[in-house]
Amino acid sequence: MKSLFALLLIGTAAPSLAQHAGHTMPAPAPAPAPTPAPTAEQSARPDTMDHLQMDHSQMETDAQQTPIADHAQMNHSPAQAETVDHSQMDHDAMAMPIPAGTPPPSAGSGPPRAADAIWGAAAMRPSREQLREEQGGQTFFWFMADRSEYRLREGKDGYLWDVQGYYGGDINKFWFKSEGEGSFGEEIEGAEVQALYSRAIGPWFDLQAGVRQDFAPRDRTYAVLGIQGLAPYQFEIDAAAFLSTKGDLTARIEGEVDQRITQRLILQPRAEFNLSAQNVPELGIGSGLDTVELGLRLRYEFAREFAPYIGVEQEWKVGRSADYARANGEDPSVTNYVVGIRFWF
């Protein structure tokens, strides 16, 4: 009986157990632990990968997988672009119109020295001075032997030099000049040196003042005041007045012009006039017009700095000066055939 009762209990309990077996609810998963916020050091450190644990040899890059272009199959000959017929175009109509009239006032309305507001006037001053010197404010040394020649003439042949040069800038210069002439085998007829301060008084002329010292035929010192420059039509003018320590007042005016026959062959007419305010017998100078020299020289410039020349020059002593020459047994009129070299550096 007891066994039967136990079997009945088991029979009634088995369906319940089987029903609950299919409804077994999974145990709730434990809540994930909160991820700790990265520290500042971890945030700053980039993620690093341990490449030592990787097999890079088994990796294929996209470049390796990219098919190689076969240029042999390509036509690299110049592209046959469509030829544009420019002759059918009116390029004149395409040109930008040139504005007429002066620029508007706003074109020059900026501050003249805007850099001073940024760098300061003291810092910009040396830069401006350097710019001025490099853009036209340089100092130069220049020397020219305008005439250095051998003179063939009746009687004994002679020689002449006429050199000059300067050191300085566009406005202020130290100018020096020297002239002299004579006959071979005789004492030198005349020799002088001038040292002048020269200041530009315009785009084409300098005002010069200084001292002239004569060494022949007599030692004599003069104060000098003159102008030198380029007159209209390219006439080079050198005019000066001389006042000696003896009170003699004389003047000299020289002018010459280069007539270019070709780019290298140049014809140069030249004229010189000497005047005196009084008679100076010991120097053979008469008052008024003293001497006149007219010359014509033809030079060939092998280089701009070097040019031999030939020419002729006629000298006349005039008035009382001619009388002094005749009294000394000299001819007041002399013709010189000249051969010389003109050079400068």
Side-chain angles (χ1 to χ4, degrees), residues 274-322:
N274 288 275
L275 304 101
S276 178
Q278 65 288 306
N279 295 322
V280 187
E282 64 272 23
L283 298 178
I285 297 175
S287 60
L289 184 60
D290 173 29
T291 60
V292 177
E293 298 179 10
L294 297 178
L296 190 66
R297 291 170 174 79
L298 181 67
R299 72 173 185 268
Y300 185 83
E301 293 183 344
F302 287 100
R304 299 303 179 201
E305 300 85 356
F306 180 81
Y309 64 83
I310 58 175
V312 60
E313 185 170 89
Q314 182 69 38
E315 299 180 5
W316 295 277
K317 291 185 178 294
V318 182
R320 183 59 64 88
S321 298

Side-chain angles (χ1 to χ4, degrees), residues 83-345:
T83 303
V84 179
D85 187 2
H86 290 267
S87 62
Q88 302 301 322
M89 298 182 178
D90 186 3
H91 289 279
D92 294 336
M94 299 170 62
M96 294 292 292
I98 300 175
T102 58
S106 58
S109 60
R113 295 188 174 186
D116 289 0
I118 300 174
W119 306 106
M124 292 303 301
R125 191 174 299 111
S127 298
R128 289 196 179 91
E129 184 66 22
Q130 182 180 2
L131 181 64
R132 187 189 66 81
E133 292 180 355
E134 294 177 353
Q135 301 297 323
Q138 303 98 328
T139 55
F140 297 95
F141 174 79
W142 174 80
F143 174 85
M144 171 180 278
D146 191 28
R147 295 181 295 164
S148 54
E149 61 193 28
Y150 183 92
R151 295 187 152 193
L152 294 86
R153 57 192 181 192
E154 188 176 353
K156 293 185 178 180
D157 295 341
Y159 55 88
L160 177 141
W161 76 85
D162 179 5
V163 301
Q164 58 183 315
Y166 66 75
Y167 176 79
D170 296 334
I171 306 299
N172 301 304
K173 299 182 182 71
F174 167 74
W175 205 287
F176 58 93
K177 304 176 184 179
S178 178
E179 291 186 29
E181 62 180 321
S183 299
F184 292 103
E186 298 181 356
E187 292 185 358
I188 190 169
E189 297 176 11
E192 66 178 52
V193 175
Q194 298 183 38
L196 308 170
Y197 165 72
S198 177
R199 182 173 178 81
I201 56 175
W204 309 107
F205 277 93
D206 292 343
L207 179 67
Q208 299 176 340
V211 178
R212 164 187 158 187
Q213 178 64 46
D214 283 11
F215 301 99
R218 297 176 183 269
D219 290 341
R220 188 157 293 185
T221 305
Y222 298 82
V224 183
L225 179 64
I227 59 172
Q228 182 170 358
L230 191 64
Y233 302 100
Q234 304 293 315
F235 282 91
E236 295 184 14
I237 302 296
D238 185 1
F242 308 100
L243 179 63
S244 75
T245 54
K246 303 291 185 180
D248 306 328
L249 180 62
T250 56
R252 180 187 303 157
I253 303 172
E254 301 176 16
E256 60 188 29
V257 61
D258 286 348
Q259 296 292 332
R260 195 172 293 276
I261 300 173
T262 67
Q263 289 297 319
R264 295 184 179 276
L265 190 62
I266 298 167
L267 185 66
Q268 184 192 63
R270 182 181 182 278
E272 177 178 330
F273 303 91
N274 288 275
L275 304 101
S276 178
Q278 65 288 306
N279 295 322
V280 187
E282 64 272 23
L283 298 178
I285 297 175
S287 60
L289 184 60
D290 173 29
T291 60
V292 177
E293 298 179 10
L294 297 178
L296 190 66
R297 291 170 174 79
L298 181 67
R299 72 173 185 268
Y300 185 83
E301 293 183 344
F302 287 100
R304 299 303 179 201
E305 300 85 356
F306 180 81
Y309 64 83
I310 58 175
V312 60
E313 185 170 89
Q314 182 69 38
E315 299 180 5
W316 295 277
K317 291 185 178 294
V318 182
R320 183 59 64 88
S321 298
D323 297 337
Y324 289 140
R326 294 187 188 95
N328 292 329
E330 300 175 359
D331 190 346
S333 177
V334 178
T335 302
N336 297 291
Y337 300 95
V338 302
V339 178
I341 297 175
R342 181 180 188 265
F343 64 93
W344 60 271
F345 57 85

